[in-house]
Amino acid sequence: MWHVPSRPPTVSRRRVLFGAAALALLGSTAAACASPPPPPEIDELAAQLDRARADSQLATDAAAATPPPPAAQALTAVASERSAHAQVLSDELVRMVGTNAPTTTATSTTAEPATAPTTKDVIAALRQSADSAAQLAATQSGYRAGLLGSIAASCTAAYTVALVPAGAPQ
C-alpha cells in the first residue's frame, strides 16, 4: 500500500478568501512602495538646465576676456540672466522629481580652453538656446510652456539687442 495515493487536502472557502485577501494586501503594499516613473519631459528640461549653465559660464568667460566695459557689462548681465534661468529650471525639476535636479552633462575638467570665448560665441550659443527652448515650449503646456517661452524670449533679446555691437545692423 505504499503506492496508493492519499486523499487530496481539503481547502475550505475561508482559506481561499484569506489567501486572496493576503495576496491583495501584499500586492497593494508592493505597489505603494514603488516610486512612480518620472515624467518623460525631465530629460528635455535637464538638457535646458545644462544649456543655461553652459551659456552662463560662456558669457562669464567672454566677459573676462572682453576689454571694452559696455560689452563686458552686457556679457555679465547675460551670464546673470542665464544663471537665473538655470536656477528656475532646477527648481522646476526638483518640483517634478522630488529630489535634486538631474543633469545630462558629465563632470567638467579644470583645463583652460585653448582660446577665450568671444561675444560671437555667446551670441551663437544663445541663438541655439533660444531655438531649443522655443521648440520645447511648443510641446509643453501650462507653467512649463510659459517658463520655456520666457527663456526663449530672454535669450533672443540678449543676442539681438544686448550683445549687438554699436553701429551693427539690428
Side-chain angles (χ1 to χ4, degrees):
M1 297 244 177
W2 291 66
H3 298 294
V4 178
S6 63
R7 198 172 108 206
T10 305
V11 179
S12 67
R13 270 191 305 177
R14 191 174 295 160
R15 274 193 183 193
V16 170
L17 290 175
F18 179 72
L23 282 175
L25 181 64
L26 181 65
S28 65
T29 304
C33 290
S35 62
E41 58 268 357
I42 294 226
D43 291 337
E44 296 162 339
L45 287 177
Q48 291 296 317
L49 172 62
D50 291 339
R51 186 177 291 276
R53 288 176 177 162
D55 289 351
S56 177
Q57 186 62 47
L58 183 69
T60 300
D61 293 344
T66 304
Q73 289 173 346
L75 287 166
T76 303
V78 167
S80 175
E81 288 174 7
R82 291 303 280 153
S83 180
H85 294 163
Q87 182 60 47
V88 172
L89 286 165
S90 178
D91 292 345
E92 178 62 11
L93 284 167
V94 167
R95 188 192 65 76
M96 289 171 63
V97 177
T99 60
N100 289 337
T103 58
T104 57
T105 57
T107 57
S108 63
T109 62
T110 58
E112 290 294 322
T115 60
T118 64
T119 303
K120 288 182 181 183
D121 295 333
V122 176
I123 289 172
L126 288 173
R127 184 171 281 143
Q128 289 177 346
S129 294
D131 291 343
S132 175
Q135 288 175 356
L136 185 56
T139 65
Q140 301 293 312
S141 64
Y143 174 76
R144 275 181 233 123
L147 173 64
L148 291 165
S150 175
I151 289 172
S154 176
C155 290
T156 302
Y159 76 77
T160 58
V161 178
L163 296 180
V164 174
Q170 294 184 3

